[in-house]
Amino acid sequence: NPGDEVIVAVATENTGDENITDPTVEVYVDPDSGLVLDPSGAVMTWTYTDGTTDTYTNDPNDPFFYWNDVYGTWEWWVGWAVGDNLMYPNESATLAVPAIVTDLGEITVTADFLGYDLQYEDYVLLDSDSYTFLSVLPSPEPVDAETVPMQDTGAPLAALTLGMLSIVGGAVYGKLR
């Protein structure tokens, strides 16, 4: 519903056999579509190969999640908190960003997972995922907690390493692989 606060959560995982150099995610959300992200409240959780985790909050002086004017998109520098800036096989990271729903209608969040290719000296697309939901007015009747008036009209574009989490009425439901 317009005015609702939700959490946009994006997760990445290195399911391959190689290290990913400078893992980065570009998150596309058109503010005119009715969803405004708040990078100041972004939180990243890194899960190491042994299952231990570290949690980091976005630092405005040295952010890992920020608006990139050059590419016109939100940028999540996944390897920001890791000293060697590598994502080893079986490591994962999750980003949770507060957002406000501003309009009724269809809202789409798309994320592209990139890694730096040393041979070509450029970033390459490793995976992409997209999720669409509808922001609607509340039902005049009480709504059961499990029946939220929004619908998933998107499907994963690839299933290699990136998983998006869906946004449903202020709660976050996993769509991880």
Side-chain angles (χ1 to χ4, degrees):
N1 305 321
D4 281 356
E5 293 182 8
V6 295
I7 296 293
V8 177
V10 183
T12 65
E13 182 178 4
N14 183 357
T15 59
D17 297 328
E18 303 289 326
N19 300 336
I20 296 174
T21 303
D22 196 17
T24 304
V25 175
E26 292 178 354
V27 181
Y28 303 95
V29 180
D30 181 358
D32 294 334
S33 74
L35 190 68
V36 177
L37 301 182
D38 176 12
S40 67
V43 175
M44 179 172 70
T45 303
W46 190 277
T47 303
Y48 298 95
T49 55
D50 64 1
T52 59
T53 61
D54 281 323
T55 302
Y56 306 91
T57 55
N58 206 30
D59 180 349
N61 297 317
D62 188 18
F64 55 76
F65 184 68
Y66 58 92
W67 177 258
N68 186 325
D69 282 326
V70 175
Y71 297 107
T73 185
W74 291 100
E75 187 101 0
W76 172 23
W77 185 14
V78 180
W80 174 85
V82 183
D84 54 17
N85 204 25
L86 294 174
M87 180 179 266
Y88 295 101
N90 301 314
E91 286 189 332
S92 63
T94 303
L95 174 72
V97 184
I100 296 177
V101 177
T102 59
D103 292 313
L104 293 173
E106 187 175 279
I107 299 171
T108 300
V109 178
T110 301
D112 290 342
F113 186 32
L114 309 168
Y116 193 78
D117 189 314
L118 296 173
Q119 179 181 354
Y120 296 104
E121 297 182 352
D122 199 1
Y123 284 90
V124 294
L125 180 65
L126 301 173
D127 196 8
S128 183
D129 204 1
S130 185
Y131 181 78
T132 299
F133 69 96
L134 296 175
S135 172
V136 297
L137 288 173
S139 169
E141 300 174 9
V143 176
D144 186 288
E146 294 182 347
T147 352
V148 180
M150 292 182 180
Q151 66 185 38
D152 177 356
T153 58
L157 300 177
L160 295 175
T161 53
L162 176 70
M164 285 287 297
L165 293 180
S166 54
I167 314 158
V168 183
V172 180
Y173 291 84
K175 202 172 118 184
L176 288 173
R177 288 174 273 310

